Amino acid sequence: MVSSPHEAMHRIFQDYPGLFSGVSEVLGVDFGPLVGVTILPTDLTEARPVERRVDTLLRVETEDADASYLLAIEAQGKKDLAKPASWAYYLSYLHTKYRLPPVLLVVCQDRATAEWAARPVDIGPPQWAALTLRPLVAGPHNMPVITDAAEVRKDLALATLSLITHGADRDPDVILKAMTTALRETPEDITNPIVELISQGLGNLPAAALWRKLVAVDLSFYKSPISEELRDEGLAKGRAQQGARSVLRVLEVRGIPFSDETLERITGCDDVDLLERWMDRAITASSAEEIFAGE
């Protein structure tokens, strides 16, 4: 199954096609200024029933009309020994189909995976390689760590990709805070897609929980899906906490003792309807255990 970080690491180039200018500068490769970008179909399947798809495919136009090229972007979550052969196929197929030089950019969140993907791969016998695969790789090993809100504002797309690639860093707090600080002064129509991309890109990483909290606090006035979801979660949690307190209060007022295990079960419940049933039973129960009858 394709993960959320996988989608975010390549889809950001569809949403912000000019991003490759900043990324190529970071990687030390000069492709010249972009004057136009076209999103192309990602299906590389031949007539035979073998499905092959690149994650994102862009046709890039430059100031020199004869210098157009194809940019194939692959998000890679882990080492895969079969990938270099697939990537070589993609590039050969694209060159044949479009008659334009293809460039492969691999985006990673893991340093070891990024370093593995960046190694040139010779295809052919050791005496003479017929092809050499040389992808560009963007990952935590070479993307800048942007901790200043002013730097974030200079290039929001690059800062977003940088944040996603550094999502697994040990201390991402400063990076995340710089982003939310910058977004507070950014128009909502620009902020919302970036908030969603970062949420998707961080996936289940520990940094995702911190990001959600920062969005809820620093960007609470925005109405993005994630901020609304966070506020709904907060309301639901508050109702559950109130329900648990009500159940315990009834037991205390009636003088019914309860164990630490019962206390933990009640306070750990986030089902408001279930807590209401427990409170109804607590009004007439002769012991704390009776409120759980039938559960």
Side-chain angles (χ1 to χ4, degrees):
M1 178 181 292
V2 176
S3 65
S4 292
H6 178 104
E7 287 296 303
M9 285 191 288
H10 72 84
R11 189 168 62 83
I12 188 173
F13 288 88
Q14 298 179 26
D15 295 345
Y16 305 94
L19 170 60
F20 185 60
S21 288
V23 173
S24 63
E25 183 177 340
V26 169
L27 301 182
V29 183
D30 182 14
F31 283 89
L34 282 61
V35 298
V37 174
T38 304
I39 299 175
L40 299 176
T42 59
D43 190 348
L44 308 183
T45 307
E46 299 179 271
R48 292 174 296 171
V50 178
E51 184 174 341
R52 301 178 190 270
R53 291 181 184 273
V54 67
D55 288 334
T56 285
L57 180 61
L58 305 175
R59 175 176 176 146
V60 181
E61 310 293 344
T62 65
E63 292 179 341
D64 181 353
D66 296 326
S68 299
Y69 59 92
L70 300 174
L71 177 62
I73 302 156
E74 284 276 282
Q76 192 65 27
K78 61 183 179 180
K79 296 179 183 179
D80 182 350
L81 298 181
K83 268 296 181 179
S86 296
W87 290 338
Y89 169 86
Y90 296 166
L91 296 176
S92 297
Y93 178 88
L94 291 171
H95 186 262
T96 301
K97 180 176 180 178
Y98 291 99
R99 297 298 178 183
L100 289 172
V103 177
L104 173 64
L105 173 66
V106 180
V107 185
C108 307
Q109 282 181 308
D110 174 72
R111 180 179 296 269
T113 302
E115 292 175 347
W116 162 81
R119 292 181 297 182
V121 176
D122 291 333
I123 299 175
Q127 298 91 335
W128 191 269
L131 295 172
T132 299
L133 178 71
R134 297 177 61 228
L136 290 170
V137 178
H141 68 305
N142 59 8
M143 290 298 289
V145 177
I146 304 176
T147 58
D148 181 73
E151 289 299 313
V152 172
R153 293 188 197 99
K154 289 180 181 178
D155 193 333
L156 280 171
L158 181 64
T160 298
L161 181 66
S162 175
L163 189 156
I164 292 172
T165 57
H166 285 285
D169 285 6
R170 183 171 299 177
D171 298 306
D173 310 43
V174 180
I175 307 174
L176 297 173
K177 185 63 177 178
M179 177 60 75
T180 55
T181 300
L183 292 180
R184 292 189 69 177
E185 301 178 13
T186 304
E188 184 175 347
D189 60 335
I190 297 175
T191 294
N192 287 345
I194 290 177
V195 168
E196 301 304 323
L197 264 174
I198 294 174
S199 178
Q200 185 181 34
L202 295 178
N204 295 320
L205 292 172
L210 177 57
W211 172 248
R212 293 167 70 83
K213 291 179 181 178
L214 288 173
V215 169
V217 174
D218 292 354
L219 305 176
S220 59
F221 48 86
Y222 284 122
K223 300 295 183 181
S224 69
I226 185 175
S227 60
E228 291 179 353
E229 177 185 339
L230 284 167
R231 284 190 282 276
D232 289 344
E233 288 178 359
L235 290 172
K237 184 176 181 180
R239 289 195 297 269
Q241 291 174 340
Q242 181 60 45
R245 286 195 293 268
S246 297
V247 175
L248 295 172
R249 181 60 179 163
V250 170
L251 293 176
E252 289 172 351
V253 169
R254 296 189 62 227
I256 297 177
F258 48 85
S259 64
D260 290 342
E261 181 181 354
T262 297
L263 174 63
E264 183 177 349
R265 183 172 180 181
I266 293 173
T267 56
C269 180
D270 58 5
D271 186 331
V272 176
D273 293 336
L274 180 57
L275 286 165
E276 289 179 351
R277 290 200 298 273
W278 288 351
M279 187 176 68
D280 291 342
R281 293 171 188 164
I283 296 173
T284 58
S286 57
S287 68
E289 290 71 22
E290 283 187 24
I291 69 173
F292 305 129
E295 303 296 344

